[in-house]
Amino acid sequence: MPARHEEIADELRRAIDREEYTVGSRLPAETELAAHYGVSRGTVRQAVAALTAEGLIGSRQGARRVVLASRRSQSFAELRSFAQWAHAMGREATGHVVAQEYLPATAQDSARLQLREGTPVLHVLRVRGLDGEPVLLERTVYADWIAPAVESIDADAPSVTQLLYESTGLVFAYGEHVIDAVAAGAQDAELLGIRRTSPLLRVRRVTTTREGRPVEWSDDRYRSDAVSFSVHNSIDNNALARKTAE
Amino acid sequence: MPARHEEIADELRRAIDREEYTVGSRLPAETELAAHYGVSRGTVRQAVAALTAEGLIGSRQGARRVVLASRRSQSFAELRSFAQWAHAMGREATGHVVAQEYLPATAQDSARLQLREGTPVLHVLRVRGLDGEPVLLERTVYADWIAPAVESIDADAPSVTQLLYESTGLVFAYGEHVIDAVAAGAQDAELLGIRRTSPLLRVRRVTTTREGRPVEWSDDRYRSDAVSFSVHNSIDNNALARKTAE
DNA sequence: GAGGCCAACTTGTTCAGACAAGTTCCGAGT
DNA sequence: ACTCGGAACTTGTCTGAACAAGTTGGCCTC
């Protein structure tokens, strides 16, 4: 069973969803919520802290908390897994491995995956689609210790994340995403069925396990007419950062 | 003076920065830190919770906390303010208003800024540069109640955020950012000094005050060869979400 | 040497209380 | 009618304590 503060956070999220608390309205005071749920004020604070981090509600000392938005953010799992994301939207995810090969780790690979240079790492080029329409080109490099499990996956499997979890118990826990825009190259254009030089949204990411061990890094290119990304930030929670090109 | 837990969070951040705790190494236990700083365990937990949210450290029940990364995240102020961001990098920010006019709020404007349709809102087209080089085109729409203060700002002022704070005490507190890629149009290309159809990183955002009142919304287009965005996510903290085009 | 089990350690959850600091709103006084 | 001050309210900070739940490493056995 989940922790009490998570249950309360969920109940509040649902209450906001069903507009019991409308956008702009004020949430009950901590002490009221504590009494209502029969818990201490600290537990309520943990619950509302979660909603604050998600950007659902705003908080200022002295004033009642305000509902800022509703229907926020998918789970991390949905962000990580293309297939789970598609499923949550009622769309069908497809996937197809175009090329796959082992290469010795470059200096860049070894830095990102925390491996010794020269260790063989698995490069995979995968096309992903929604309802048959290709929308994403994934160029992924897997660390040597997970590569065998990746290799054994069917070339047309829709969900790699799912299969890796089933076969090895691997759970992705952290991710760093660097986002920019690039023009589609010849290969990009061909595989995504778009014109060359079309703008693509590029997401370069490194994913690690719960222990902080890097699993993979990837260069993902999205058709910008099909997919966009959304980030919610506040003074207390700024996951987003602007960077200059090196 | 800042809260004790913030001081401790800062000290830990600096310690990680100067590699006293290296990436992959383990942080001292909560009880040790509590004893070291002479505070209770709860206060230490508040401090490390902040670093966890920033993605600096990873946390699993039962195991010592692990340092995941270093040199993370600017402040929210730096993200919001182009000038502050540039300054933090030791670069000089420039700004120039190309066009500015009042227009009645469209349905879209009124929804995003929570105003009545037809209320006059201020449209501003601004070019921003780093060390003289144009890198960003900002098309911003300001709510009527802040527009007069914006209008009185010099056309070449480097920092609008700064001046708005000084003249009205306005502080930006929350922001929703939607990121995608677009091809440069004729006006974009001309003002940024790039070729037409070059890929641009587009960030559409709405910014609100601490009270949750929308102040402005903006369509920002970055030269993708000059600027990128970075988001750090985890199972506990996912500010990032993928979206399909409507 | 391999495997399994347990004890020590560490983080997660929750409580109850106290005070600090900021906001809101009403009422008194001008 | 307007402003100002203060009381009541609300969130922020911090303490100290207890138990739950997960991890780690070493010891013992086979």
Side-chain angles (χ1 to χ4, degrees), chain A residues 58-59 72 74 79 173-179 181 222 224-226 228-233 235 238 241-243 245, chain B residues 58-59 72 74 79 173-177 179 181 222 224-226 228-235 238 241-243 245:
Chain A
S59 203
R72 289 240 80 259
Q74 318 136 294
L79 175 64
Y174 306 102
E176 175 77 30
H177 299 72
V178 177
I179 304 174
Y222 291 88
S224 61
D225 56 344
S228 62
F229 283 83
S230 156
V231 190
H232 192 96
N233 265 43
I235 280 183
N238 66 309
R242 209 194 269 112
K243 298 177 63 170
Chain B
S59 205
R72 283 242 80 259
Q74 316 132 299
L79 176 63
Y174 305 101
E176 176 76 29
H177 300 71
I179 304 174
Y222 291 87
S224 61
D225 57 344
S228 61
F229 283 83
S230 158
V231 190
H232 193 97
N233 267 42
S234 73
I235 281 183
N238 71 309
R242 209 193 269 115
K243 298 176 64 170

Side-chain angles (χ1 to χ4, degrees), chain A residues 55-157:
Chain A
L56 267 172
I57 61 181
S59 203
R60 301 143 60 209
Q61 183 172 138
R64 284 265 182 109
R65 268 174 255 262
V66 177
V67 179
L68 290 175
S70 64
R71 313 204 91 281
R72 289 240 80 259
S73 75
Q74 318 136 294
S75 67
F76 182 77
E78 280 175 22
L79 175 64
R80 234 316 291 156
S81 167
F82 186 81
Q84 273 185 252
W85 170 62
H87 183 259
M89 294 188 308
R91 303 249 239 150
E92 200 200 353
T94 57
H96 179 68
V97 172
V98 175
Q100 175 169 313
E101 67 177 320
Y102 277 97
L103 292 172
T106 63
Q108 198 183 52
D109 293 338
S110 67
R112 290 201 237 230
L113 298 178
Q114 288 176 28
L115 298 171
R116 261 203 311 281
E117 213 169 316
T119 310
V121 290
L122 183 61
H123 289 241
V124 177
L125 174 59
R126 215 182 264 118
V127 180
R128 305 287 213 127
L130 288 178
D131 296 337
E133 183 86 355
V135 298
L136 162 62
L137 211 60
E138 241 181 32
R139 282 177 245 259
T140 312
V141 179
Y142 293 94
D144 58 339
W145 54 273
I146 193 69
V150 175
E151 224 179 354
S152 72
I153 290 174
D154 184 77
D156 292 315

Side-chain angles (χ1 to χ4, degrees), chain B:
Chain B
M1 97 216 84
R4 192 82 183 90
H5 70 84
E6 280 187 29
E7 290 179 0
I8 294 171
D10 263 350
E11 285 199 45
L12 290 174
R13 263 187 282 259
R14 278 196 297 272
I16 292 173
D17 252 8
R18 79 175 96 89
E19 304 202 334
E20 202 164 302
Y21 304 120
T22 58
V23 172
S25 71
R26 302 211 258 233
L27 235 53
E30 288 176 3
T31 49
E32 286 176 52
L33 290 172
H36 181 271
Y37 290 111
V39 298
S40 78
R41 208 182 130 218
T43 305
V44 169
R45 283 182 66 78
Q46 268 184 283
V48 295
L51 303 216
T52 305
E54 287 164 29
L56 269 171
I57 62 180
S59 205
R60 300 144 60 210
Q61 182 172 142
R64 288 273 260 256
R65 268 173 255 261
V66 177
V67 178
L68 291 175
S70 64
R71 314 201 92 282
R72 283 242 80 259
S73 75
Q74 316 132 299
S75 66
F76 182 78
E78 280 175 23
L79 176 63
R80 232 319 285 157
S81 167
F82 186 82
Q84 274 185 254
W85 170 63
H87 183 259
M89 293 188 309
R91 303 248 238 151
E92 201 201 350
T94 56
H96 178 68
V97 172
V98 176
Q100 176 169 312
E101 66 177 320
Y102 276 97
L103 291 172
T106 63
Q108 197 182 51
D109 293 338
S110 67
R112 290 201 234 228
L113 297 178
Q114 289 176 26
L115 298 171
R116 259 202 313 280
E117 212 170 316
T119 309
V121 290
L122 183 60
H123 289 240
V124 176
L125 173 59
R126 214 182 264 117
V127 180
R128 305 287 212 127
L130 288 178
D131 296 338
E133 182 86 357
V135 299
L136 162 61
L137 212 61
E138 243 181 33
R139 282 177 245 258
T140 311
V141 179
Y142 293 94
D144 59 338
W145 54 274
I146 194 68
V150 175
E151 223 179 354
S152 73
I153 291 174
D154 184 77
D156 292 313
S159 179
V160 177
T161 309
Q162 177 74 21
L163 292 168
L164 280 183
Y165 173 69
E166 283 167 12
S167 64
T168 68
L170 183 72
V171 174
F172 296 106
Y174 305 101
E176 176 76 29
H177 300 71
V178 177
I179 304 174
D180 63 1
V182 294
Q187 188 182 38
D188 299 339
E190 155 117 32
L191 291 170
L192 289 175
I194 54 176
R195 278 201 309 278
R196 225 172 59 80
T197 76
S198 292
L200 294 177
L201 189 61
R202 176 169 67 172
V203 180
R204 280 170 295 181
R205 57 186 167 76
V206 179
T207 315
T208 68
T209 64
R210 279 182 300 193
E211 292 86 23
R213 194 178 187 195
V215 180
E216 51 161 33
W217 78 265
S218 189
D219 176 311
D220 297 350
R221 297 177 185 203
Y222 291 87
R223 277 179 51 178
S224 61
D225 57 344
V227 180
S228 61
F229 283 83
S230 158
V231 190
H232 193 97
N233 267 42
S234 73
I235 281 183
D236 305 312
N237 176 19
N238 71 309
L240 184 63
R242 209 193 269 115
K243 298 176 64 170
T244 42
E246 337 70 70

Side-chain angles (χ1 to χ4, degrees), chain A residues 27-40:
Chain A
L27 234 53
E30 289 176 3
T31 49
E32 286 176 51
L33 289 172
H36 181 270
Y37 290 111
V39 297
S40 78

